Amino acid sequence: MNPLVPADPAVLHPMPEQPRVVLLRPLVKSPLIEAGEYSYYDDPDDPTAFETRNVLYHYGPEKLVIGRFCALGTGVRFIMNGANHRMDGPSTFPFPTMGGSWAHHFDLLTGLPNRGDTVVGNDVWFGYGATVMPGVRIGHGAIIGAGSVVTSDVPDYGIVGGNPARLIRTRYGAEDVARLLAVAWWDWPVEHITAHVRTIMSGSVADLEAAAP
């Protein structure tokens, strides 16, 4: 019997015949982005440009944190806090950034609203063209519908859609969500995950609990 061999989390293109798919952990170089093992992005144009094309206005200090085993469809974008403008005066235009004598007023751009890090849990599926606004927190096991604009936090195992995204339903009841979070299969040793892929993908909550190491 052949030994069970996990997929390699360090390979940039896990499907060599599909260069449109990249694993994010070996791709990202920015210290402001953290990506968990096996989370991937799919884009037929240039998936390797994820950091510049899909994470926008990211000047820090806030971070984008993506958990393990997340699936990001084409065109998923994270709008970061650098996109913010002043809204407490008559104009929202960022005059100081344009240069000339306007640059003397850079103090007007300090203290902009900041909701902190954008944090994505484990095992989150993002549909095509979803947009995540600054400082949003998305729970484990959530599904983000195609074209959604996520402006507020998403609960664990929640399904959201629309603009602004609204909670459509949760994938499991509250008791089962608690059980799933306790099992936290994404933290299992990868060898154990490999041995129980079928249960993780198609089993019941009880099956998953029984398979826990």
Side-chain angles (χ1 to χ4, degrees):
M1 183 175 179
N2 293 329
L4 297 175
V5 179
D8 188 344
V11 172
L12 181 61
H13 295 284
M15 304 154 59
E17 73 283 2
Q18 294 287 351
R20 59 182 287 160
V21 176
V22 294
L23 292 184
L24 293 176
R25 189 178 180 92
L27 174 70
V28 297
K29 300 293 185 284
S30 170
L32 297 174
I33 302 176
E34 297 176 13
E37 289 179 332
Y38 301 106
S39 288
Y40 72 86
Y41 175 58
D42 180 337
D43 193 322
D45 293 330
D46 187 4
T48 61
F50 176 82
E51 289 179 277
T52 54
R53 292 180 57 190
N54 302 85
V55 186
L56 306 178
Y57 313 106
H58 198 191
Y59 313 124
E62 78 284 357
K63 290 186 174 183
L64 170 61
V65 181
I66 300 173
R68 305 177 85 195
F69 300 100
C70 292
L72 281 65
T74 302
V76 171
R77 285 184 169 82
F78 297 90
I79 309 296
M80 304 303 289
N81 198 67
N84 274 325
H85 291 223
R86 284 188 77 113
M87 295 186 292
D88 58 347
S91 176
T92 61
F93 191 80
F95 286 90
T97 64
M98 296 294 123
S101 295
W102 298 355
H104 299 316
H105 305 289
F106 240 93
D107 61 295
L108 292 171
L109 299 183
T110 60
L112 292 173
N114 189 336
R115 294 187 59 195
D117 296 344
T118 298
V119 180
V120 178
N122 301 287
D123 191 26
V124 177
W125 173 24
F126 291 86
Y128 178 94
T131 301
V132 179
M133 299 304 285
V136 165
R137 291 178 175 259
I138 297 174
H140 304 300
I143 297 175
I144 312 301
S148 299
V149 179
V150 185
T151 61
S152 58
D153 293 354
V154 178
D156 295 309
Y157 290 92
I159 301 175
V160 301
N163 180 9
R166 305 291 187 194
L167 183 65
I168 298 169
R169 63 180 177 87
T170 54
R171 297 174 57 196
Y172 295 91
E175 182 180 330
D176 281 346
V177 167
R179 293 166 67 190
L180 288 164
L181 295 178
V183 168
W185 66 263
W186 43 82
D187 289 332
W188 294 357
V190 68
E191 294 78 14
H192 196 75
I193 289 174
T194 303
H196 295 281
V197 165
R198 298 194 68 84
T199 300
I200 293 169
M201 290 188 69
S202 64
S204 66
V205 178
D207 293 336
L208 202 60
E209 288 173 327

